[in-house]
């Protein structure tokens, strides 16, 4: 099994994906253990002093003015975890919780939190044992970080609350820890606060969305190319010299992908055949511009994610010179913004894909294809309602594109009077990514059927490879009406698993 070693300088996106989705094991580096011990010495020294230090010997948030006596400090740390574990609603996905815990461990290991090495090791042990705390949909405002979700994770660390075992069954966390031979943590000064004060949930979901969207944007380029081919469009608009004069990198990459897919097609360039047209509709001709803008948004979001992955987000933080200072680095705005940007780009990509599907089904605009790609139009409805489903998904994506980060609601007696709503932005982006996958799958389903209905014209070799792979995946080709939902589910599973890219690249070479 792959092992991820956590040091003091952050982790990579591939580390997060390995732990969250592949169950990779975690080890702490010697450097991290030393940094944890050194920072803890600073916290212990401050705890022994009579002067109050926020997070060490005081209350929290709006209650920070109270100095807590030494005999109450362990209770204080337990209490902050218990009281902040106040989430409600459905459970969030296992991969999200694993990413959340791993990223919190990343910050703990930076040596800026003052947490003892044994606490960090216990976090790694819980992840390695396949124990997943129960975390709920609602409870985070994205400032101070993802408080409620992280608190539910910290509760498991204490052997309290509920968690999912490696067998997928939810049970008391204390029982699961005992069976795994893990001793629950007795929290000391600052440790409770350090376990729940970060942007780890929203960051984990951003990292996973970026990975999914990178493949999905390539798949969308392929589907757009197949639609262009099925509509007898021209590939001249994809020429690199045209995109070089408007030098957006994403646009050039999308155009290059489409051009590679269409190489060798007998279906493109038929504008002067039976239905003369000067140029293709925007949804076809401007496909690289829309997908390309989304790709450039991905690039910006990836930069933000990389910076956050290298960050140590906590309040207060332990500095190398021995100071423990309050700060505002837990505010989720940088992550929240790009989560919203991605939802906007995804909604527009879904929208343009749906317009191409509709064009394929409309006999007045499809340049010779049968109505709704039906076998016997009138007796058969073809893909009429598949487009309805696609339209419903697009409509929801437009609603999900409304930014969460433009909202704020004050909390903690107006101490936390401006929040990021980054967790909410991440949750709706996950739904957007799911919807976009289905939308691309429906366009792919329609485009492959339409190409097969163009009798006498040979599609591009890459297009043929996609069609063959789709059919092998259980998505049936043209014919009389049948129960359509299984076909759509099979197409969705094919796109979701990266089947489009896997089918094309042996013919085209790596897509951009």
């Amino acid at each position: 099994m792959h092992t991820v070693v956590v040091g003091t300088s952050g982790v990579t996106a591939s580390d997060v994906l390995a732990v969250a989705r592949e169950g990779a094991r975690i080890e702490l580096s010697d450097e991290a253990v030393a940094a944890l011990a050194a920072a803890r010495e600073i916290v212990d020294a401050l705890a022994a002093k009579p002067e109050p230090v926020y997070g060490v010997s005081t209350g929290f948030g709006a209650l920070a003015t109270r100095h807590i006596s030494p005999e109450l400090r362990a209770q204080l740390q337990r209490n902050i975890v218990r009281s902040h574990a106040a989430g409600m609603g459905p459970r969030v996905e296992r991969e999200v919780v694993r990413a959340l815990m791993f990223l919190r461990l990343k910050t703990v290991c930076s040596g800026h939190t003052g947490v003892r090495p044994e606490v960090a090791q216990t976090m790694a042990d819980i992840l390695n044992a396949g124990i997943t705390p129960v975390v709920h949909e609602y409870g985070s405002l994205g400032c101070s970080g993802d408080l409620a979700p992280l608190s539910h994770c910290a509760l498991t660390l204490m052997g309290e609350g509920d968690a999912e075992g490696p067998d997928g069954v939810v049970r008391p966390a204390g029982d699961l820890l005992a069976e795994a031979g893990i001793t629950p943590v007795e929290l000391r000064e600052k440790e409770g606060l350090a376990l729940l004060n970060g942007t780890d949930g929203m960051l984990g979901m951003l990292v996973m969305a970026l990975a999914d969207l990178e493949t999905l944007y390539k798949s969308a380029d392929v589907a757009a190319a197949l639609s262009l081919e099925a509509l007898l469009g021209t590939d001249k608009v994809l020429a690199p010299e045209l995109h070089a004069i408007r030098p957006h990198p994403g646009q050039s990459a999308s155009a290059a992908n489409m051009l590679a897919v269409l190489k060798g097609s007998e279906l493109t360039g038929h504008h002067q055949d039976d239905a003369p047209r000067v140029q293709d509709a925007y949804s076809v001709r401007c496909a690289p511009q829309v997908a390309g803008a989304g790709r450039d948004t991905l690039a910006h979001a990836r930069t933000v994610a990389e910076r956050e992955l290298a960050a140590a987000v906590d309040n207060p933080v332990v500095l190398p010179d021995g100071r423990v200072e309050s700060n505002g680095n837990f505010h989720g705005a940088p992550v929240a913004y790009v989560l919203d940007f991605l939802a906007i780009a995804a909604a527009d990509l879904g929208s343009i894909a749906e317009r191409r599907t509709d064009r394929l089904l409309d006999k007045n605009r499809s340049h010779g294809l049968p109505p709704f790609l039906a076998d016997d139009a009138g007796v058969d409805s073809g893909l009429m309602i598949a487009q309805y489903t696609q339209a419903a998904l697009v409509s929801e994506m437009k609603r999900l594109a409304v930014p969460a980060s433009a909202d704020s609601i004050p909390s903690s007696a107006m101490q936390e009077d401006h929040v990021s709503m980054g967790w909410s932005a991440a949750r709706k982006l996950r739904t957007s990514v799911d919807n976009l996958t289905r939308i691309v799958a429906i366009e792919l389903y329609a485009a492959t059927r339409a190409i097969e209905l163009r009798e006498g014209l040979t599609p591009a070799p890459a297009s043929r490879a996609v069609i063959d792979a789709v059919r092998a995946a259980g998505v049936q080709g043209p014919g009389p009406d049948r129960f359509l939902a299984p076909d759509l589910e099979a197409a969705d599973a094919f796109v979701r698993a990266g089947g489009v890219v896997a089918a094309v690249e042996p013919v085209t070479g790596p897509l951009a």
Side-chain angles (χ1 to χ4, degrees):
M1 182 181 292
H2 178 58
T3 298
V4 171
V5 179
V6 183
T8 60
S9 57
V11 296
T12 66
S14 61
D15 291 335
V16 177
L17 295 170
V19 172
R21 291 181 164 172
E22 301 165 21
R25 290 189 59 79
I26 301 162
E27 292 181 3
L28 308 186
S29 71
D30 293 340
E31 177 194 26
V33 172
L36 284 159
R40 186 65 208 181
E41 288 181 5
I42 295 171
V43 171
D44 286 341
L46 289 171
K49 292 182 177 181
E51 298 84 9
V53 178
Y54 177 69
V56 176
S57 53
T58 70
F60 309 111
L63 302 177
T65 55
R66 178 174 172 183
H67 182 224
I68 308 299
S69 58
E71 66 273 11
L72 294 176
R73 289 175 188 170
Q75 182 181 340
L76 169 69
Q77 300 303 319
R78 287 194 301 272
N79 285 352
I80 189 175
V81 172
R82 290 167 176 164
S83 66
H84 285 43
M88 293 183 72
R91 288 175 56 197
V92 301
E93 303 82 0
R94 182 176 185 270
E95 67 177 16
V96 172
V97 180
R98 286 184 62 83
L100 172 74
M101 285 192 69
F102 175 65
L103 287 168
R104 195 68 221 141
L105 176 60
K106 174 267 298 183
T107 282
V108 164
C109 287
S110 69
H112 289 294
T113 67
V115 168
R116 288 169 294 152
E118 51 264 43
V119 176
Q121 185 60 56
T122 303
M123 296 172 74
D125 291 344
I126 289 172
L127 285 165
N128 289 340
I131 297 170
T132 307
V134 170
V135 173
H136 299 279
E137 181 81 14
Y138 303 106
S140 174
L141 300 178
C143 189
S144 303
D146 294 316
L147 287 173
L150 283 163
S151 297
H152 281 275
C153 294
L155 202 64
T156 296
L157 202 65
M158 293 163 50
E160 301 181 15
D162 292 327
E164 178 186 298
D167 58 358
V169 177
V170 174
R171 297 165 53 203
D175 294 348
L176 290 169
L177 264 59
E179 290 174 10
I182 299 171
T183 302
V185 169
E186 183 70 33
L187 299 176
R188 288 171 46 181
E189 291 93 343
K190 195 184 180 299
E191 290 180 334
L193 183 61
L195 292 175
L196 24 140
N197 209 341
T199 57
D200 309 291
M202 63 183 92
L203 176 58
M205 286 185 274
L206 172 60
V207 169
M208 289 185 283
L210 286 169
D212 294 340
L213 287 168
E214 182 175 0
T215 299
L216 199 48
Y217 266 80
K218 293 177 183 179
S219 302
D221 288 341
V222 175
L226 266 63
S227 289
L228 182 152
E229 195 172 21
L231 290 166
L232 306 179
T234 178
D235 58 359
K236 290 182 178 180
V237 296
L238 304 174
E241 58 269 24
L242 294 176
H243 297 277
I245 61 176
R246 193 191 191 195
H248 294 289
Q251 175 180 321
S252 294
S254 284
N257 286 346
M258 291 180 66
L259 198 59
V261 171
L262 293 170
K263 184 178 181 181
S265 173
E266 292 183 4
L267 280 77
T268 58
H270 290 266
H271 287 81
Q272 302 305 316
D273 290 359
D274 296 331
R277 39 194 156 127
V278 176
Q279 52 192 2
D280 294 314
Y282 282 12
S283 60
V284 178
R285 186 171 17 130
C286 301
Q289 284 76 10
V290 173
R295 284 169 165 271
D296 290 342
T297 303
L298 278 176
H300 171 59
R302 193 173 294 112
T303 297
V304 172
E306 288 169 354
R307 292 169 181 163
E308 198 76 357
L309 287 168
V313 178
D314 194 16
N315 179 49
V317 292
V318 181
L319 297 174
D321 60 10
R323 287 178 295 147
V324 176
E325 296 286 1
S326 292
N327 66 90
N329 285 340
F330 49 74
H331 199 288
V335 181
Y337 290 169
V338 294
L339 288 162
D340 280 333
F341 297 164
L342 291 175
I344 292 168
D348 202 32
L349 186 62
S351 180
I352 197 170
E354 183 275 331
R355 287 293 80 206
R356 288 190 294 266
T357 303
D358 182 66
R359 184 166 288 271
L360 288 166
L361 305 189
D362 183 354
K363 69 180 182 65
N364 296 312
R365 294 180 291 142
S366 66
H367 309 288
L369 291 169
F372 303 105
L373 306 181
D375 187 62
D376 184 3
V379 174
D380 294 311
S381 294
L383 305 191
M384 179 190 295
I385 307 305
Q387 185 269 330
Y388 281 39
T389 300
Q390 193 183 42
L393 291 163
V394 169
S395 185
E396 183 177 42
M397 288 191 72
K398 291 175 182 177
R399 297 191 295 274
L400 291 169
V402 176
S405 59
D407 189 20
S408 177
I409 189 164
S411 57
S412 192
M414 293 299 286
Q415 176 71 8
E416 299 173 9
D417 58 352
H418 185 275
V419 297
S420 76
M421 303 306 297
W423 174 273
S424 298
R427 296 306 296 166
K428 68 184 182 66
L429 177 60
R430 282 182 71 84
T431 303
S432 291
V433 172
D434 275 347
N435 284 356
L436 181 59
T437 305
R438 297 182 182 105
I439 290 165
V440 172
I442 292 172
E443 181 184 7
L444 184 73
Y445 185 32
T448 54
R449 177 185 281 212
I451 289 173
E452 289 186 309
L453 290 170
R454 294 289 189 189
E455 297 179 358
L457 292 172
T458 304
S463 301
R464 184 74 260 170
V466 175
I467 294 169
D468 291 344
V470 167
R471 299 291 171 256
V475 183
Q476 298 184 53
D481 279 357
R482 55 184 172 268
F483 181 22
L484 205 56
D487 269 7
L488 298 181
E489 285 298 321
D492 174 59
F494 179 76
V495 173
R496 199 172 295 272
V500 177
V501 179
V504 163
E505 288 190 332
V507 180
T508 62
L511 297 179

